[in-house]
């Protein structure tokens, strides 16, 4: 009764409102039809475009692993550090070298210390560990002076590891066969650009091979 | 008005909406991405030149670190003005479909001078072999610069070939669509005035919905392509594009709803007057 009284007091207003609501419903149906048509006709292409944007987008919901979890029984890393993070130190006492160790071998990380190749194993995993650093005086300038039986220590957040040098080699920069990745023995291969004294582009690498020392 | 006439008018309104959506998309893309001046402005406003200068400098320093030279060897080798000039050249070449040609002579001269200065100051003895290494080092520095300016010359040259064709096609389609829209709007005005307003509302809400959907389904602000400077610029351009579409959508919606409210109010007044008379 109240509604009819209200409508009788202002019939134009309520008539217009009624009509506008119907128009909005018609418009909504129109929008739904267009969206369904686009989904039907271009659904695959839209999904491909969205997937592509996802591929080139940084994931912001990924968990950053602060502590590396190492399983001593299986001798393997359970949770790896994020690429580009510092996870330890590398020390060569006989040369007075003590440098941060990063997971990753991009030039960006080599500005700050020694990088570990993401294609090699971690210390303690029983395989090849490939590390590299710049040959300037801040980093590995003195590396070519290393002698056999010298000890290289890697101190990580999950354990300390010692390696004894058994060989050094000068190899061509493209000779990847000299840095073989294997899982039979824990071998540390640490290299730098060579020769260290000359200026300009270096085409060779000075590689130190060291075997794990188990205490 | 008969039911059949109403139904036909609503179908026409739907067609007009689709045409309006198409024409607005074409005009927005043409004035944002396909406009050379707008692209240059976007690169400037997003700080690309300044950011790229930092990235090039850092990348070159990575080359210097194992070379035996001091970092001072890069003093004044790269400048923001030169980067600005060369990026603008690349953009001009893309939009005029010309082969990219960037001069690195000034970079080479400055680098050479800095190297010679350091060699003299530190009294290095440079053998033929060392000179060959130094030449390789200079080439690496210059390549660092050109790679950051052009990224992929082949890709850019192929894009340039397509842009012209796309621009011409867009112009033709825009004219055809605009003519079709005007004709259909005139027809709708005489057949069913309300349907005209509904077509505006449909188009407007579509663009607002597109903006909301892209905000949730697509991680535009997290895009990472080549380097963070380029990514920041791409994000800036895409966000501008989406904002333009959103504004267009809001304008169309407001025009549509205002038009409908006015027409329905007039219709209601006439209806009530007719009812009273009868």
């Amino acid at each position: 009764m109240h509604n009819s009284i209200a409508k009788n007091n202002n019939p134009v207003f309520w008539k217009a409102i009624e009509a506008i609501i119907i128009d909005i419903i018609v418009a909504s149906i129109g929008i739904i039809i267009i969206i369904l048509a686009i989904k039907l006709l271009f659904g695959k292409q839209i999904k491909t475009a969205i997937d592509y944007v996802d591929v080139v987008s940084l994931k912001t919901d990924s968990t950053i692993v602060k502590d590396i979890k190492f399983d001593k029984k299986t001798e393997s890393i359970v949770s790896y550090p994020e690429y580009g993070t510092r996870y330890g130190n590398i020390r060569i006492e006989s040369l007075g070298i003590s440098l941060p160790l990063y997971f990753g071998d991009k030039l960006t990380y080599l500005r700050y210390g020694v990088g570990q190749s993401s294609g090699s194993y971690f210390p303690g995993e029983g395989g090849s560990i490939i590390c590299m650093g710049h040959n300037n005086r801040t980093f590995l300038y003195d590396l070519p002076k290393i002698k056999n039986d010298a000890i290289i220590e890697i101190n990580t957040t999950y354990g300390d590891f010692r390696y004894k040098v058994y060989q050094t080699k000068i190899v061509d920069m493209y000779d990847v066969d000299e840095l073989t990745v294997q899982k039979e023995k824990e071998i540390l291969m640490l290299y730098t650009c060579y020769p260290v004294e000359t200026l300009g582009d270096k085409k060779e690498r000075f590689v130190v091979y060291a075997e794990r020392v188990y205490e | 008005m008969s039911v059949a006439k109403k139904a036909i008018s609503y179908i026409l309104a739907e067609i007009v909406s689709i045409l309006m959506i198409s024409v607005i998309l074409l005009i927005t893309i043409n004035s944002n991405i396909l406009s050379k001046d707008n692209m240059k402005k976007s690169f400037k406003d997003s700080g690309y030149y300044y950011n790229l200068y930092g990235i090039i400098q850092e990348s070159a320093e990575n080359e210097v670190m194992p070379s035996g030279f001091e970092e001072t060897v890069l003093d004044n080798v790269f400048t923001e003005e030169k980067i600005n000039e060369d990026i603008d050249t690349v953009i001009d070449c893309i939009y005029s479909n010309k082969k990219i040609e960037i001069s690195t002579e000034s970079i080479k001269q400055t680098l050479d001078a800095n190297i010679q200065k350091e060699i003299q100051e530190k009294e290095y003895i440079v053998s033929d072999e060392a000179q060959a290494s130094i030449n390789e080092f200079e080439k690496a520095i210059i390549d660092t610069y050109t790679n950051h300016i052009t990224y992929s010359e082949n890709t850019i040259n192929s894009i340039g070939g397509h842009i012209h064709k796309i621009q011409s096609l867009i112009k033709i389609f825009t004219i055809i669509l605009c003519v079709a829209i005007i004709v259909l709007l005139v027809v709708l005005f005489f057949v069913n005035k309300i349907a005209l307003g509904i077509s505006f509302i449909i188009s407007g809400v579509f663009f607002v919905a597109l903006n909301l959907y892209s905000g949730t389904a697509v991680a535009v602000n997290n895009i990472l392509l080549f380097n963070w400077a380029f990514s920041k610029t791409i994000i800036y351009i895409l966000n501008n594009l989406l904002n333009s579409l959103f504004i267009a959508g809001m304008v169309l919606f407001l025009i549509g709803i205002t038009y409908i409210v006015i027409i329905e109010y007039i219709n209601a007044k006439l209806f009530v007057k007719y009812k009273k008379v009868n």
Side-chain angles (χ1 to χ4, degrees):
Chain A
M1 192 175 170
H2 288 290
N3 274 345
S4 53
I5 290 169
K7 279 189 179 176
N8 285 334
N9 282 344
N10 200 346
V12 173
F13 175 78
W14 289 111
K15 179 71 188 164
I17 290 290
E18 222 177 279
I20 289 166
I21 289 169
I22 293 168
D23 294 337
I24 289 171
I25 291 169
V26 170
S28 306
I29 294 168
I31 293 159
I32 290 167
I33 290 170
I34 286 181
I35 290 169
L36 285 173
I38 288 171
K39 214 173 170 183
L40 199 69
L41 296 168
F42 305 110
K44 264 189 187 165
Q45 289 89 333
I46 292 168
K47 193 180 179 308
T48 308
I50 292 173
D51 287 344
Y52 178 75
V53 174
D54 268 342
V55 163
V56 299
S57 298
L58 286 172
K59 302 284 174 269
T60 54
D61 60 349
S62 59
T63 317
I64 296 168
V65 174
K66 291 202 167 106
D67 295 320
I68 303 171
K69 291 193 177 77
F70 182 75
D71 188 337
K72 282 183 180 161
K73 277 188 196 158
T74 56
E75 283 194 335
S76 61
I77 306 278
V78 173
S79 53
Y80 286 94
E82 194 180 320
Y83 190 84
T85 54
R86 177 184 174 182
Y87 75 94
N89 250 41
I90 187 162
R91 273 179 9 112
I92 309 173
E93 211 179 304
S94 56
L95 300 177
I97 290 172
S98 178
L99 296 165
L101 179 61
Y102 288 84
F103 175 44
D105 49 7
K106 280 175 78 166
L107 289 174
T108 325
Y109 313 131
L110 297 187
R111 287 168 70 87
Y112 305 107
V114 169
Q116 179 213 323
S117 168
S118 55
S120 66
Y121 289 93
F122 273 76
E125 284 195 302
S128 302
I129 310 153
I130 301 173
C131 295
M132 71 293 296
H134 283 312
N135 65 359
N136 59 21
R137 289 182 193 276
T138 313
F139 298 129
L140 298 176
Y141 181 83
D142 289 331
L143 191 66
K145 294 176 186 166
I146 202 165
K147 302 259 184 286
N148 281 352
D149 294 336
I151 295 291
I152 302 174
E153 283 177 38
I154 293 182
N155 311 114
T156 72
T157 52
Y158 61 92
D160 298 331
F161 306 90
R162 288 159 62 85
Y163 304 86
K164 189 189 261 187
V165 176
Y166 65 87
Q167 190 183 14
T168 61
K169 259 190 194 179
I170 297 165
V171 303
D172 185 82
M173 67 185 274
Y174 298 113
D175 206 343
V176 292
D177 291 337
E178 301 291 345
L179 297 166
T180 328
V181 177
Q182 48 75 46
K183 230 265 176 186
E184 281 84 41
K185 230 178 181 182
E186 188 157 330
I187 305 283
L188 168 66
M189 289 171 267
L190 176 64
Y191 72 87
T192 190
C193 296
Y194 188 83
V196 298
E197 305 88 0
T198 60
L199 300 169
D201 216 43
K202 315 287 168 71
K203 295 272 186 243
E204 289 172 323
R205 303 290 178 260
F206 183 88
V207 188
V208 174
Y209 299 86
E211 206 175 352
R212 171 116 180 246
V213 175
Y214 293 90
E215 266 115 40
Chain B
M1 200 191 299
S2 69
V3 173
K5 206 177 172 186
K6 255 191 178 174
I8 290 167
S9 66
Y10 288 142
I11 290 168
L12 272 177
E14 191 81 351
I15 293 168
V16 169
S17 305
I18 293 168
L19 294 177
M20 275 201 277
I21 289 166
S22 307
V23 99
I24 286 166
L25 277 171
L26 288 175
I27 290 170
T28 309
I29 289 169
N30 200 32
S31 58
N32 271 282
I33 297 171
L34 299 179
S35 158
K36 181 173 72 171
D37 293 333
N38 190 64
M39 285 302 277
K40 282 185 183 175
K41 188 176 181 296
S42 298
F43 273 77
K44 190 180 175 195
D45 292 346
S46 64
Y48 183 65
Y49 304 120
Y50 173 74
N51 294 333
L52 189 65
Y53 168 76
I55 289 171
I56 290 174
Q57 193 72 21
E58 200 182 308
S59 299
E61 281 166 11
N62 287 334
E63 297 291 338
V64 168
M65 284 188 90
S67 69
F69 288 112
E70 301 287 341
E71 276 181 16
T72 49
V73 85
L74 292 177
D75 284 354
N76 302 317
V77 170
F78 308 115
T79 60
E80 215 181 308
E81 290 75 30
K82 171 86 175 116
I83 290 169
N84 193 330
E85 198 185 291
D86 286 342
I87 297 285
D88 283 353
T89 302
V90 171
I91 293 173
D92 286 337
C93 289
I94 291 172
Y95 283 88
S96 53
N97 195 21
K98 285 186 184 149
K99 198 172 178 302
I100 296 171
E101 276 172 26
I102 292 171
S103 170
T104 52
E105 204 48 48
S106 58
I107 293 171
K108 190 177 186 310
Q109 279 174 8
T110 312
L111 182 61
D112 229 359
N114 291 350
I115 288 171
Q116 292 309 316
K117 187 180 170 197
E118 189 171 327
I119 287 171
Q120 279 169 19
E121 276 173 5
K122 297 207 171 143
E123 292 171 4
Y124 288 136
I125 297 164
V126 179
S127 62
D128 288 342
E129 210 181 313
Q131 185 58 51
S133 291
I134 291 170
N135 294 342
E136 285 292 318
F137 167 72
E138 282 182 1
K139 187 178 175 299
I141 297 288
I142 289 167
D143 285 348
T144 297
Y145 179 79
T146 49
N147 289 342
H148 278 93
I149 296 292
T150 61
Y151 297 112
S152 167
E153 228 177 279
N154 287 340
T155 308
I156 286 175
N157 285 332
S158 70
I159 288 171
H162 293 306
I163 283 185
H164 254 296
K165 289 178 200 165
I166 294 169
Q167 278 175 324
S168 311
L169 279 170
I170 284 178
K171 273 189 188 136
I172 293 166
F173 275 115
T174 306
I175 293 167
I176 293 170
L177 286 172
C178 283
V179 168
I181 288 166
I182 291 167
V183 167
L184 285 172
L185 284 175
V186 169
V187 167
L188 272 178
F189 186 79
F190 290 106
V191 170
N192 183 354
K193 288 182 176 54
I194 294 298
L196 195 153
I198 286 174
S199 67
F200 274 80
I201 292 175
I202 292 172
S203 317
V205 172
F206 175 83
F207 285 118
V208 172
L210 177 69
N211 206 281
L212 292 169
Y213 175 72
S214 62
T216 51
V218 184
V220 169
N221 290 324
N222 293 343
I223 285 174
L224 183 64
L225 269 176
F226 300 125
N227 55 57
W228 63 269
F230 189 77
S231 307
K232 203 176 158 192
T233 302
I234 294 292
I235 291 166
Y236 180 86
I237 291 167
L238 286 174
N239 280 331
N240 271 357
L241 191 76
L242 289 169
N243 285 342
S244 301
L245 292 173
F246 180 77
I247 290 166
M250 286 302 290
V251 167
L252 284 169
F253 176 76
L254 288 170
I255 290 171
I257 205 84
T258 308
Y259 175 84
I260 279 177
V261 164
I262 293 169
I263 297 294
E264 290 295 13
Y265 185 74
I266 293 169
N267 284 350
K269 250 188 149 173
L270 288 170
F271 178 81
V272 167
K273 196 175 173 183
Y274 176 75
K275 214 177 165 184
K276 274 184 183 163
V277 164
N278 290 335

